[in-house]
Each structure stands twice: as C-alpha cells, then as structure tokens.
Amino acid sequence: MSATTVQTPAPPRATSPAARLSFGRVVRSETIKLLTLRSTWWSLGVTAALAVGISLLMAWAATDFGGDFNPVIAVTAPMQFTMLVAGILGAMAITGEYSTGMIRSTLTAEPRRGVVLAAKALVVGALLALTTVITSAVSIAASAPIFGDRSIEWSDPEQSLIPLAMGVVAMASFALLGLGWGFIIRSGAGAIAATVGILFVLPIVLSLFTFGGEAWAWIVDLSRYLPASAAQTVSVPGAEDFWVGVATLLAWPAAALLGGWAVLRSRDA
C-alpha cells in the first residue's frame, strides 16, 4: 500500500509596505490625517477671519487715503499676522504625530522617510495655498464695494496678479518653514517657538540696531533676508528687489525641510 503525500500550500509571501504604497496613496493618507485634526480647522478658521477682517478694516481706512492706495495692499497686508498661524499649523502637522506616537505607524507603512516628508510638505503647502486663494478672493469681493471705482487694475499684472500670487506662495512657505522645524525639533512647543522666533521676533530684534548708526547698519540690512521681510517685498505692487525676495522666501523653508529630512533619516522615530 502506497502512502498518500499531502502537500501543504506555502504561506503567502509577505510584501513590503513600500511596494504597496505609491506616492499618491501617501499623499492621500497625509491629507486625511491633516484634515481630520480639529487644530487644522481652527487654524484655517483663524487665518480666514484675520485675512478677511483686516482687509475690510484697511479698505474702510483707505477711503481717507485718496487715490494713491492700491486695493491689493488691503488683501496682502494681513499676511503679517496670518503668517504666524500658517507657521504654527505647519509645525503642528508633524509634532502632533511625534507626541502621540503615530509617526511610528506612518514610517512602518512607508519606510521611505523622504517620501513621507515630501508628501506631508505637499499637503501642508497646498492646503495653505488653497486657503489663501479662497480668503483673497473673498477679501477682494467684500472690499470691492468699499473701494468703488478705485478697484484693482487687473490689466497690469505687476499691480495685481503678481503680488496676489506671491501672497499665496508666501503663506505656503511659512507653513513649510514650520513643518521643517517640526521635523527637526520634534516638539510642538520647540518648533512653534523656533518658527515664531524667525517670523516675528527676529525682525524686531534686528530693527533695534537702527539706533546704532552706520556701524550697525549691516545688521539692519540682514532683516531684508528674513522670510517675513521677503514676503512683504514680493507681495507689494511694483516691488523692488523682487527676485531677491523670491529667492529668500523660498530658501528658508527649503533649508528647514532639508534639515528635517536629515534628522528624519538619521534618528529613530
């Protein structure tokens, strides 16, 4: 009598998470994580309220300025306040994961850490850019009746489209600056402090040296290369040193994200 051989099926071969996840899926995952946080919607709500509210206040105040006031300034000027909210939102987008330990699950699902950083940066930057486009459109529509016949000169891009577009770029860059510091410091309080320090405190500190005379003028000149000053330069209609401002505005978040990528690769989650 011959023995019957029973063949057991081989266990399924495990596939690595990296093979299953495309960049699009990582972006989708980061979008879901960001949009399901209450802090995200609170930050966006505060940004919208400040942007539209300050624009309307400036529009009403501009009725006493005569015909020399460009309505675009009323739309872009609130950025000096909303930049802080954008930077804080960018920092919280990653530090929250470190505080809850979710970053371990994220890196388990997608071990390619550069892909995680790139996807999160894309989502954060796009969200702030979209928010700025919407708030700018609302501010323009709401302030148009106040300005009356002194409306925006859309036929001249340097006086209208370019500064408005650079306002969108600036808000996205502020958020990415905060995101980069979040990856570097990994602490909500520390990342927010670093971001606010660069965007708000450092310009004030450098401006104090205006009382030092010519010997300290070089320190005052350094303030032109801060992100807040660069954003103000490129978002003003007919700005001088436009390309220097653009380079400065993009260099700060790029450096922060590169630093965050280096820390993310070299340190455990």
Side-chain angles (χ1 to χ4, degrees):
M1 184 175 69
S2 61
T4 303
T5 303
V6 178
Q7 295 182 351
T8 57
R13 184 177 299 176
T15 58
S16 63
R20 295 197 304 265
L21 291 179
S22 63
F23 183 71
R25 290 185 175 182
V26 180
V27 170
R28 182 172 178 269
S29 173
E30 294 297 335
T31 303
I32 293 173
K33 285 192 291 184
L34 187 61
L35 295 182
T36 51
L37 293 174
R38 284 182 295 179
S39 59
T40 299
W41 294 105
W42 274 107
S43 299
L44 296 180
V46 170
T47 300
L50 286 175
V52 178
I54 296 175
S55 293
L56 290 177
L57 289 175
M58 292 192 66
W60 282 320
T63 56
D64 297 329
F65 295 165
D68 296 331
F69 186 84
N70 191 324
V72 172
I73 298 177
V75 180
T76 59
M79 183 173 56
Q80 300 300 315
F81 302 94
T82 57
M83 67 178 181
L84 298 178
V85 185
I88 292 172
L89 174 60
M92 292 191 303
I94 181 59
T95 56
E97 290 198 40
Y98 280 105
S99 63
T100 60
M102 185 181 291
I103 187 65
R104 299 186 185 92
S105 301
T106 299
L107 297 180
T108 299
E110 177 51 87
R112 297 173 297 177
R113 301 191 173 196
V115 172
V116 172
L117 186 146
K120 193 174 288 289
L122 177 61
V123 172
V124 170
L127 180 61
L128 263 296
L130 178 61
T131 301
T132 307
V133 170
I134 295 173
T135 55
S136 297
V138 173
S139 297
I140 292 172
S143 61
I146 301 174
F147 284 112
D149 56 355
R150 297 183 299 157
S151 59
I152 298 176
E153 293 290 341
W154 296 106
S155 59
D156 187 356
E158 292 186 357
Q159 299 294 323
S160 56
L161 290 176
I162 293 178
L164 289 172
M166 294 312 303
V168 174
V169 174
M171 286 294 289
S173 70
F174 296 146
L176 295 179
L177 178 66
L179 179 66
W181 279 110
F183 273 108
I184 293 172
I185 300 179
R186 301 185 173 191
S187 165
I192 291 172
T195 305
V196 173
I198 293 174
L199 293 179
F200 185 73
V201 179
L202 196 55
I204 297 176
V205 173
L206 294 184
S207 67
L208 295 177
F209 288 88
T210 54
F211 302 101
E214 292 295 331
W216 300 95
W218 64 276
I219 296 183
V220 179
D221 292 338
L222 288 178
S223 63
R224 297 189 306 165
Y225 302 100
L226 293 176
S229 299
Q232 188 175 10
T233 297
V234 300
S235 61
V236 172
E240 299 179 359
D241 296 330
F242 177 80
W243 292 111
V244 174
V246 171
T248 302
L249 189 62
L250 298 179
W252 279 92
L257 289 174
L258 284 175
W261 175 70
V263 171
L264 187 63
R265 287 196 55 177
S266 60
R267 291 173 56 185
D268 293 335

